[in-house]
Amino acid sequence: MSDTKSANAMWGGRFASGPDAIMEAINASIGFDKRLAAQDIAGSRAHAAMLAAQGIISDKDAEAIREGLLTVLSEIKAGTFQFSTALEDIHMNIEARLKEIIGEPAGRLHTARSRNDQVATDFRLWVRDQADAAIGGLEALIRALLDQAEAGADWVMPGFTHLQTAQPVTWGHHMMAYVEMFARDLGRFTDARARMNESPLGAAALAGTGFDIDRDMTAKALGFDRPMANSLDAVSDRDFALEFLAAASITAMHLSRFAEELVIWSSAQFRFVTLSDRFSTGSSIMPQKKNPDAAELIRAKIGRILGATMALFTVMKGLPLAYSKDMQEDKEQVFDAADTLMLALAAMTGMVSDMTANGENLEAAAASGFSTATDLADWLVREAGLPFRDAHHVTGALVAMAEAKGCDLADLSLGEMQEVNAAITEGVYDVLTVQASVASRMSYGGTAPARVREQIARWREALG
Ligand code: ARG
């Protein structure tokens, strides 16, 4: 397996021979960290400008470096850049190419810097972009949900507990429940973004540097709020990525729950919603089928995102300060989780925008399963003065009677009801409809259409 390649040009001064092929394979990250190219170049351009401003390198060299880096970036974007595994990672690939383009000044770029602060900076910038993308994706999804909620603020449907009919709710209320969840997710990405927005650049290998650098200048140039205050922490912290993954995991869990509801609701047994052809697929053998594949895939995507979260926690657990190569294992997981999340958000937004709720089916289902039994019990408390526990008991007896007769509560005659409790009057029928039931639930946060409309207006205003 030995390989007699020459030693690495970047760090091989003390090495007599190059790495074994297996060593090179396990060591190289260029296969995936090429995704950090734009961030790496932005970081290096900021660093070079700062070095010149501080008189550490000449303006002329800095200019050559900054221009040369733009050339490298355009080569990468054009797909003409030759990535090399022997050059390990994106940082050294770019620097080596820079040297080919501009010659000697390229060697001055790495003054007062290490790949440790470099990679921490690149990765933060990348994750920050993804936090912004997640925020944008969640906002789009929330808007789609608000449109659904508005269209169906009055439509009644069964509310479930244990997936058993519980009480009628409104379609708008159900959609708005997800607005609340996704808005909290959005808040988590916003919080994480604010916390991660500090610059590791200038922490150098781990201890800072003896050069008179200006970390505020590079932080500002890269859109960070400030430089990180501790160089050891700056190069070894990955909790910004973990926070991103945690927020992504919670979002994916919410997406998964909603996706599951869409799978159930679109089934022939429920027929609560019709998903659009654009977000469904057919079966190659059963011509009648229209499958909710997008919803099923979104339901499953949490596996990858949560897996990535677990993986990075496990990589970071027990690592002594400061940098260890273990931390090179931070990226692929986050890349995959971010890609997965953005796709799932986009697919859910498309599905929600396109889906049609079947109002009649929702209403018919809302009325089944004695869903207004609680309204009957509440009526007995209010109008007949019964303690709630007794009212519950009386209502239970009426449900049993209706069940035995195979009818709904509203189909029992007044005489039949009075056999169970003499205090019941004609007025009881007013509360037995699903419309009356939802309209009465005016408590703050309740399902009454008027309350739902207030919430829709509040969120529309908040989103601007
Ligand atoms: N490719 C490396 C990583 O992703 C860059 C940092 C390497 N630093 C070092 N001291 N070997 O972590």
Side-chain angles (χ1 to χ4, degrees):
M1 287 257 177
S2 77
D3 186 326
T4 47
K5 278 198 301 195
S6 57
N8 186 292
M10 301 283 172
W11 47 250
R14 63 165 298 191
F15 286 77
S17 78
D20 187 275
I22 299 291
M23 177 61 209
E24 193 171 288
I26 194 172
N27 198 36
S29 54
I30 189 62
F32 48 89
D33 68 12
K34 55 171 79 138
R35 285 188 75 169
L36 301 177
Q39 289 76 12
D40 194 69
I41 285 170
S44 290
R45 294 186 82 241
H47 185 65
M50 181 278 292
L51 291 176
Q54 294 296 101
I56 300 168
I57 64 172
S58 71
D59 287 342
K60 191 162 156 288
D61 285 349
E63 220 14 69
I65 290 168
R66 285 168 54 80
E67 277 303 306
L69 285 168
L70 289 183
T71 308
V72 176
L73 183 61
S74 63
E75 289 176 359
I76 292 173
K77 283 192 171 151
T80 56
F81 190 96
Q82 294 289 321
F83 291 103
S84 146
T85 310
L87 287 165
E88 284 183 33
D89 56 25
I90 188 64
H91 324 295
M92 297 205 295
N93 268 267
I94 288 174
E95 195 185 314
R97 178 68 188 129
L98 183 67
K99 186 150 187 242
E100 284 172 10
I101 299 170
I102 69 166
E104 187 263 350
R108 300 188 186 276
L109 170 60
H110 214 51
T111 315
R113 174 177 91 164
S114 151
R115 275 190 292 156
N116 296 349
D117 60 338
Q118 194 178 352
V119 72
T121 303
D122 295 0
F123 198 30
R124 255 176 207 255
L125 290 171
W126 194 90
V127 175
R128 189 179 72 183
D129 282 350
Q130 297 301 309
D132 287 338
I135 289 166
L138 281 162
E139 231 180 80
L141 175 54
I142 289 170
R143 285 183 199 282
L145 286 162
L146 286 172
D147 289 345
Q148 281 287 351
E150 193 144 48
D154 299 292
W155 302 342
V156 286
M157 65 181 281
F160 297 95
T161 61
H162 315 266
L163 199 55
Q164 308 286 322
T165 301
Q167 294 172 350
V169 295
T170 50
W171 170 261
H173 197 50
H174 202 115
M175 293 299 113
M176 292 305 288
Y178 283 104
V179 166
E180 294 287 334
M181 288 176 247
F182 291 126
R184 283 195 297 278
D185 294 335
L186 194 155
R188 269 182 276 274
F189 283 109
T190 308
D191 292 349
R193 189 199 194 283
R195 234 182 323 276
M196 79 176 72
N197 203 30
E198 294 188 341
S199 174
L201 195 57
L206 74 166
T209 174
F211 289 99
D212 178 26
I213 59 172
D214 182 350
R215 293 190 60 204
D216 288 301
M217 181 179 167
T218 46
K220 191 157 175 253
L222 295 169
F224 288 118
D225 295 329
R226 63 191 80 81
M228 291 180 77
N230 183 299
S231 61
L232 290 166
D233 175 48
V235 292
S236 61
D237 157 52
R238 293 294 181 273
D239 55 49
F240 68 91
L242 285 167
E243 252 192 289
F244 173 82
L245 290 174
S249 297
I250 297 174
T251 306
M253 176 274 293
H254 286 148
L255 286 168
S256 183
R257 294 184 74 176
F258 192 25
E260 164 72 349
E261 297 209 297
L262 295 180
V263 170
I264 295 173
W265 291 354
S266 62
S267 69
Q269 288 68 27
F270 272 72
R271 291 189 299 128
F272 283 6
V273 296
T274 307
L275 300 176
S276 75
D277 288 357
R278 297 189 334 138
F279 286 95
S280 311
T281 57
S283 156
S284 52
I285 180 161
M286 296 166 281
Q288 86 284 9
K289 291 208 76 179
K290 186 165 150 188
N291 294 327
D293 292 43
E296 294 166 271
L297 288 162
I298 293 168
R299 184 171 61 184
K301 291 289 186 194
I302 182 164
R304 293 168 72 146
I305 295 176
L306 201 53
T309 309
M310 243 357 186
L312 186 54
F313 267 110
T314 312
V315 166
M316 295 308 295
K317 177 202 161 293
L319 277 191
L321 301 189
Y323 179 86
S324 296
K325 197 61 173 265
D326 308 50
M327 289 161 72
Q328 180 165 287
E329 290 290 313
D330 58 0
K331 295 171 203 61
E332 283 168 290
Q333 308 291 341
V334 178
F335 291 162
D336 186 68
D339 292 345
T340 302
L341 179 71
M342 301 318 154
L343 185 58
L345 280 171
M348 184 58 98
T349 304
M351 248 190 326
V352 171
S353 309
D354 277 15
M355 74 184 178
T356 322
N358 306 326
E360 279 171 25
N361 293 342
L362 289 172
E363 186 169 339
S368 72
F370 311 107
S371 66
T372 55
T374 313
D375 300 271
L376 174 50
D378 289 349
W379 185 90
L380 288 165
V381 170
R382 242 185 356 259
E383 307 295 327
L386 265 62
F388 183 77
R389 286 291 164 218
D390 297 348
H392 186 285
H393 198 79
V394 169
T395 306
L398 289 167
V399 166
M401 180 187 272
E403 198 165 38
K405 292 190 63 184
C407 68
D408 284 334
L409 283 170
D411 300 326
L412 295 174
S413 71
L414 187 58
E416 284 168 325
M417 293 216 202
Q418 285 170 342
E419 274 170 38
V420 178
N421 188 290
I424 298 178
T425 65
E426 196 66 37
V428 76
Y429 291 100
D430 293 342
V431 301
L432 294 181
T433 68
V434 287
Q435 279 77 10
S437 172
V438 296
S440 74
R441 290 195 156 62
M442 276 294 285
S443 55
Y444 179 76
T447 199
R451 283 302 196 199
V452 171
R453 288 208 167 84
E454 280 170 16
Q455 292 301 323
I456 296 169
R458 179 171 77 84
W459 279 113
R460 287 226 191 268
E461 165 128 22
L463 286 178

